[in-house]
Amino acid sequence: RYINMTQDKCLVDIHTHVYLPEYLELLRKREQVPRVLPPLEEGQDERLIILPDEDKGESTKNGRPVGPAYYDVREKLAFMDKHNIDISVISLANPWIDFLPPTEETFDLARRLNVSMENMCQDPITHGRLYGLGTLPLSSVEGSVAEVERIAALPRMKGVIMGTWGCGKGLDDPALEPLYEAIAKHNLVIFLHPHYGVNLPTSGNMDAGHSLALALGFPFETTYAIARLILSGIFDRVPDLKMLLAHSGGTLPFLAGRIDSCVAHDPAVASKLNHPPSYYLKKLYFDAVIYHATGVKATADFVDPSQMMFGTDHPFFPPLESKDARWMSVDSNLTAIAGAGLDEEIVKGILGRNALKIFNLEMPSK
Ligand code: URA
Ligand code: ZN
């Protein structure tokens, strides 16, 4: 097995998902989206239908195949070996448990998911190559704060993954403040990941399948939710809150100037903040899951590149042909990082060293 094994030259994947067995079990029982359907034909994989209205689109209604790469830790390790990834910081995939009501049963599931994630990261076959991000029962702030306390006590958990839903009213909901405070207090990182899109009609005159929802709906959702969060002034009140934005922050590095300008010209909004919006944006962390050098360059130009980290989005976007091939989705991100014209030391940071520091990770034992 090849891994890089040195802090100086390591590859760390901070955007990589699992559907834990407890979660798949829940999705299999459901009759509404999000849900898992049985295989179309015997011997094929089960199918995942999770995105809003995915069951209504002609080409999306049969979902996406969900095989062992989605839940088997051995597949995660094999994928890491294939691409020389030393460490992965794994997170449950969307839509987490946002859709469950604030009941004891939901709190119990969150607890079980986080213990299951911790156990996966502690499995001896992983040789210390996995860390985890926890899942919160977000329909209850109290329940989520209690779960943050438990997550903070699990040694391999380094943060939580969250969507933009908050507890139903977005990330800028003042009710979430005790949760942000608890997360900051424990020095955990919020990995902010989209799921809901931006409520545009899902179908136009053509069937775009999943492509535009994932390519554009996801980053537009992140862009809007984080802009709202910043305008709420949360980062003046909880300045230590660490937040990592999926997909290089959606379009935020590109649109930050426009957000600054529009806020500056609206004194009622600007007066609620101590600084222009981009001041807060520049304190956030950004993954490098943007696939083109232009996107990497824009992000590295906007934030200090020591705040950027490599990711793969495994097990999504698998190769369509040979199962043995390296994944195009991984290689396009590696090529984009290598081709962005950044100094060698900066590149090494994005590939691994930044993640070791930001998430406080240790190199795996030899
Ligand atoms: N599709 C999803 O549903 N989630 C991801 O994270 C990537 C692709
Ligand atoms: Zn993802």
Side-chain angles (χ1 to χ4, degrees):
R1 182 182 86 219
Y2 173 82
I3 41 176
N4 303 303
M5 286 293 194
T6 73
Q7 285 210 19
D8 181 56
K9 205 171 171 235
C10 61
L11 190 56
V12 180
D13 181 0
I14 51 80
H15 187 154
T16 174
H17 304 290
V18 283
Y19 284 100
L20 294 166
E22 295 81 356
Y23 189 62
L24 283 174
E25 199 180 303
L26 164 78
L27 295 185
R28 283 188 193 109
K29 280 194 270 190
R30 285 175 55 85
E31 289 179 359
Q32 286 171 345
V33 175
R35 62 188 300 206
V36 164
L37 291 175
L40 280 171
E41 284 172 39
E42 225 181 89
Q44 291 183 344
D45 289 327
E46 292 177 294
R47 289 162 303 122
L48 188 65
I49 305 198
I50 49 171
L51 299 174
D53 288 335
E54 188 171 358
D55 53 339
K56 303 201 177 79
E58 207 26 58
S59 73
T60 57
K61 67 175 194 282
N62 288 329
R64 293 173 266 176
V66 41
Y70 285 74
Y71 52 81
D72 188 340
V73 69
R74 284 162 217 281
E75 291 275 335
K76 183 69 80 190
L77 293 167
F79 167 82
M80 289 167 66
D81 287 346
K82 177 178 288 175
H83 300 95
N84 297 344
I85 295 168
D86 297 271
I87 300 176
S88 292
V89 182
I90 57 178
S91 50
L92 195 71
N94 49 302
W96 317 283
I97 53 172
D98 286 6
F99 52 90
L100 294 180
T103 61
E104 279 307 320
E105 206 183 334
T106 302
F107 303 159
D108 181 60
L109 176 63
R111 224 168 287 164
R112 286 189 291 119
L113 286 169
N114 292 324
V115 169
S116 176
M117 179 76 86
E118 171 72 21
N119 288 343
M120 186 177 274
C121 298
Q122 285 197 19
D123 187 326
I125 68 167
T126 67
H127 295 282
R129 295 170 72 193
L130 298 185
Y131 288 90
L133 301 176
T135 300
L136 299 176
L138 280 164
S139 53
S140 161
V141 175
E142 255 188 7
S144 294
V145 169
E147 195 51 38
V148 164
E149 297 294 329
R150 274 186 286 271
I151 289 167
L154 297 173
R156 298 201 76 81
M157 298 295 246
K158 296 293 177 182
V160 295
I161 185 161
M162 263 174 82
T164 61
W165 187 78
C167 49
K169 294 193 214 147
L171 298 173
D172 54 337
D173 181 356
L176 291 172
E177 229 163 280
L179 177 61
Y180 294 141
E181 279 166 2
I183 291 168
K185 180 184 81 181
H186 287 293
N187 200 24
L188 296 170
V189 178
I190 297 180
F191 179 23
L192 200 283
H193 192 291
H195 168 74
Y196 299 95
V198 278
N199 248 337
L200 295 171
T202 43
S203 59
N205 296 319
M206 61 163 292
D207 184 355
H210 292 108
S211 64
L212 296 187
L214 298 177
L216 305 181
F218 268 29
F220 292 172
E221 174 191 354
T222 304
T223 302
Y224 187 61
I226 295 301
R228 267 176 55 168
L229 180 63
I230 283 172
L231 296 201
S232 78
I234 188 69
F235 292 102
D236 286 323
R237 295 189 292 280
V238 193
D240 296 334
L241 186 61
K242 285 184 169 174
M243 194 173 270
L244 162 64
L245 305 184
H247 316 125
S248 299
T251 65
L252 285 165
F254 190 77
L255 291 180
R258 188 165 174 84
I259 301 171
D260 277 354
S261 176
C262 292
V263 167
H265 288 87
D266 196 333
V269 180
S271 65
K272 292 189 199 137
L273 298 173
N274 294 346
H275 304 277
S278 57
Y279 170 90
Y280 308 98
L281 273 174
K282 285 175 192 282
K283 290 180 176 290
L284 306 184
Y285 303 107
F286 293 69
D287 75 19
V289 185
I290 196 72
Y291 306 95
H292 272 190
T294 306
V296 174
K297 263 189 240 175
T299 313
D301 192 44
F302 178 66
V303 287
D304 187 316
S306 67
Q307 290 156 237
M308 293 174 66
M309 294 176 272
F310 171 74
T312 63
D313 223 350
H314 180 260
F316 296 108
F317 310 116
L320 298 176
E321 319 83 34
S322 160
K323 278 209 152 85
D324 299 326
R326 282 179 65 98
W327 291 33
M328 184 181 94
S329 50
V330 176
D331 284 341
S332 39
N333 279 313
L334 287 172
T335 305
I337 295 166
L342 302 169
D343 288 352
E344 196 184 330
E345 291 304 305
I346 288 178
V347 169
K348 282 187 194 166
I350 296 173
L351 293 178
R353 279 199 311 227
N354 299 344
L356 296 182
K357 198 159 151 207
I358 292 163
F359 283 99
N360 189 24
L361 313 176
E362 280 173 27
M363 286 302 286
S365 49
K366 297 206 182 194

